[in-house]
C-alpha cells in the first residue's frame, strides 16, 4: 500500500493534521512538545485513493530518546511515496528545518512544505519567508481552523497512483447514469419543499444562542443566563412559521479547548453529531466584542459539514462596528464561508430576528435547488472558453459536460477526460462562475471531477 508520511519538529501540528485527514481522533494531541514518540498509522481515503497515512515522531536531537525517534522517522520517510514536511507558521524559518527539508528532498520522493498555524494576515506574510527553502509545492494551512486543507489533499491525491481505488473515481459510470432520467436530469427522491428545515444554532459560550432561540420561537424555551456554558444539553424546538416547520437546535456553547471541563466535553461531541443532521447553521457572533480565533474554529464546523450558513451578528445594540466594516472583517477571516449570508440582530430585544425566517427560506431553497442541466452546461462551457483549463503534460484537459447529481448542498459532477488534472484553483474559478449565474448564496457548492471512461488519449 502507498504511504504518505507527516514529518517535522515536535509541536508543529502533525498529529492534528493526521487526525483531520483520518477523519477521526487517533493520535493524541497536546501542547507538550514530543507527545508523539512512536508512529501512528491509519488507512485513509484521499479523494478516492487509498493510502497508509503515517504520523511520525518529531525531529528532535535534545535527548537520546528523541534522537532514536528521529532516526525511526527518517527511515520511515525513505520508504514512503510522498512526504509532508510541516513547520510552525508562528515562527520564522530556521536553518535546522531548511537543512532537513533539503536532505529529504534529495530522496527523489514527492515532498510538500506545509506551513501550519497560519491563522491571520500577519501569519500569511511570515509564511512567505519559507519560500527560501527552494520548494516547489508550498501550502499554508490552519488545521485548527480547517483552512487550506483542500489544496493539500489534492496535492496528495495527485502523487498517489491512479490504480488505487480507481473504480471509486470512475464509479462504474453506467451505474452513475442510471440515476438520471431520459432528459438528463437527476432523479431526486426527496421532496425538499415538504420537509422540515433543520437549523443548528452554534457559537462560543455566552454569545446569545439561547436568547436567539427564544426570540425565534417567541417563548422562553432555553434557559438564559450570564453564566457562560449554561446550555449543556442541546435544546430542541419544533416551530411552525407561515406554514413551514422548522426544527431548531440550540447547541452547547463551545469554549477554547483548554477550558473545556468535565461534561462539556460530551456536549462538544454532541454538537458535532447534531451538525451532521443539520441543513443550515446559524453561526452566532457577539458583535459587541472583537472576533476571536475560537469564532473561526467554530465557523470551520459549518464548513466541515457542508451546511448552509447564516452568520448572525448578535448584540448589535451594543456594537461599535459599522455593519459593512464588520462584514469585510468576517469575509477576510472566514474565507471558507465566503458564501454565507450575514445579518445583525439583538436577540434579547427581538430586533430584526423575524428577518431570519426569510433568510433561512432563501438559503434552504438554494441549498436544495435543482439546476437545469442545459443551463449548467451553458455556464460551464462559457467559463472554459473564457479561461481554458491548463494542459497537463502538454495534453488538453476537457470537461465533456456537467450534471447535478446531489442536493443539500448542490453536488455537481464534471465529467472529464482527466479528472485528476483539474486544479483546486480552477474548481474555485468554476464555483465563482456558477454563483454569478445561479442563486447559490448561503450554500456551499461541491464540484466533483469524474471520469467518463478510459479513452485512447488516456492510454497514451
Amino acid at each position: 500500500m502507498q504511504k504518505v508520511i507527516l514529518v517535522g519538529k515536535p509541536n508543529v501540528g502533525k498529529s492534528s493534521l493526521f487526525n483531520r485527514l483520518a477523519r477521526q481522533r487517533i493520535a493524541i494531541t497536546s501542547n507538550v512538545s514530543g507527545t508523539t514518540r512512536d508512529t501512528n498509522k491509519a488507512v485513509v481515503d484521499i479523494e478516492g485513493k487509498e493510502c497508509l497515512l503515517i504520523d511520525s515522531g518529531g525531529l528532535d536531537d535534545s535527548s537520546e530518546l528523541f534522537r532514536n525517534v528521529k532516526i525511526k522517522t527518517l527511515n520511515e520517510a525513505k520508504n514512503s511515496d510522498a512526504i509532508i514536511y510541516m513547520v510552525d507558521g508562528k515562527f520564522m524559518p530556521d536553518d535546522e528545518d531548511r537543512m532537513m527539508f533539503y536532505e529529504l528532498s534529495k530522496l527523489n520522493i514527492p515532498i510538500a512544505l506545509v506551513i501550519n498555524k497560519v491563522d491571520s494576515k500577519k501569519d500569511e506574510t511570515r509564511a512567505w519567508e519559507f519560500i527560501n527553502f527552494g520548494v516547489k509545492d508550498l501550502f499554508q494551512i490552519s488545521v485548527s481552523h480547517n483552512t487550506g486543507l483542500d489544496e493539500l489533499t489534492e496535492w496528495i491525491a495527485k502523487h498517489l497512483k491512479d490504480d488505487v481505488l480507481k473504480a471509486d473515481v470512475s464509479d462504474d459510470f453506467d451505474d452513475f447514469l442510471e440515476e438520471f432520467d431520459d432528459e438528463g436530469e437527476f432523479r431526486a427522491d426527496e421532496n425538499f419543499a415538504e420537509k422540515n428545515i433543520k437549523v443548528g444554532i452554534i457559537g462560543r459560550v455566552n454569545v446569545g444562542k439561547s436568547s436567539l432561540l427564544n426570540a425565534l420561537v417567541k417563548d422562553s424555551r432555553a434557559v438564559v443566563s450570564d453564566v457562560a456554558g449554561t446550555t449543556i444539553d442541546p435544546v430542541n424546538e419544533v416551530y411552525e412559521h407561515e406554514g413551514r416547520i422548522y426544527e431548531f437546535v440550540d447547541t452547547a456553547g463551545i469554549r477554547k479547548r483548554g477550558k473545556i471541563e468535565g461534561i462539556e466535553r460530551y456536549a462538544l461531541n454532541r454538537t458535532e453529531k447534531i451538525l451532521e443532521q443539520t441543513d443550515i447553521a446559524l453561526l452566532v457572533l457577539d458583535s459587541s466584542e472583537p472576533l476571536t480565533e475560537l469564532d473561526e474554529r467554530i465557523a470551520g464546523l459549518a464548513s466541515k459539514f457542508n451546511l448552509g450558513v447564516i452568520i448572525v451578528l448578535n448584540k448589535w445594540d451594543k456594537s461599535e462596528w459599522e455593519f459593512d466594516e464588520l462584514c469585510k472583517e468576517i469575509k477576510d477571516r472566514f474565507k471558507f464561508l465566503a458564501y454565507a449570508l450575514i445579518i445583525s440582530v439583538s436577540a434579547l430585544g427581538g430586533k430584526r430576528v423575524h428577518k431570519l425566517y426569510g433568510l433561512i427560506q432563501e438559503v434552504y431553497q438554494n441549498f436544495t435547488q435543482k439546476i437545469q442541466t442545459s443551463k449548467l452546461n451553458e455556464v460551464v462551457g462559457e467559463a472554459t472558453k473564457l479561461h481554458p483549463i491548463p494542459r497537463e503534460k502538454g495534453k488538453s484537459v476537457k470537461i465533456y459536460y456537467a450534471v447535478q447529481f446531489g442536493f443539500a448542498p448542490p453536488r455537481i459532477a464534471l465529467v472529464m477526460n482527466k479528472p485528476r488534472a483539474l486544479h483546486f484553483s480552477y474548481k474555485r474559478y468554476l464555483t465563482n462562475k456558477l454563483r454569478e449565474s445561479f442563486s447559490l448564496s448561503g450554500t456551499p457548492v461541491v464540484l466533483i471531477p469524474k471520469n467518463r471512461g478510459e479513452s485512447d488519449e488516456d492510454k497514451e
Side-chain angles (χ1 to χ4, degrees), residues 6 34 53 69 130 166 222 227 234 244-245 310 375 396 438:
L6 307 179
L53 184 66
V69 170
F130 286 87
K166 185 174 181 179
V227 177
R244 193 67 190 259
I245 303 297
I310 300 171
K375 292 183 178 179
S396 62
F438 303 104

Side-chain angles (χ1 to χ4, degrees), residues 16 22 74 133 148 154 179 245 265 299 319:
S16 296
L74 295 178
F133 276 43
E154 288 211 9
E179 299 297 323
I245 303 297
R265 294 185 182 275
S319 177

Side-chain angles (χ1 to χ4, degrees), residues 201-212 225 228-229 253-254 282-289 292 295 298 312-315 345 347:
I201 305 174
I202 63 173
R204 55 188 170 89
V205 295
N206 219 28
V207 295
K209 299 186 302 301
S210 298
S211 298
L212 181 63
S225 166
I254 300 173
L282 301 184
L283 172 62
V284 184
L285 304 176
D286 186 343
S287 64
S288 69
E289 299 178 354
T292 70
D295 287 324
I298 296 169
V312 181
L313 307 177
N314 193 26
K315 306 183 185 181
V345 305

Side-chain angles (χ1 to χ4, degrees), residues 20-85:
R20 180 79 71 179
L21 293 175
R23 297 184 179 88
Q24 54 183 308
R25 193 177 180 88
I26 299 173
I28 297 173
T29 59
S30 81
N31 292 324
V32 177
S33 180
T35 299
T36 303
R37 297 178 180 180
D38 206 336
T39 55
N40 289 305
K41 299 180 181 181
V43 176
V44 301
D45 183 305
I46 303 292
E47 297 195 1
K49 297 181 178 182
E50 194 174 67
C51 69
L52 185 67
L53 184 66
I54 302 170
D55 174 25
S56 68
L59 301 176
D60 188 354
D61 289 318
S62 62
S63 69
E64 183 177 355
L65 169 62
F66 289 121
R67 281 193 291 272
N68 290 334
V69 170
K70 179 178 178 180
I71 292 171
K72 184 175 182 180
T73 294
L74 295 178
N75 286 334
E76 289 273 11
K78 292 175 183 177
N79 295 309
S80 298
D81 297 279
I83 300 170
I84 296 173
Y85 193 98

Side-chain angles (χ1 to χ4, degrees), residues 87-94 115 117 123 126-127 130:
V87 294
D88 189 335
K90 298 296 184 186
F91 299 97
M92 294 294 288
D94 63 38
I115 307 164
K117 307 180 187 180
D123 294 335
R126 186 188 306 113
F130 286 87

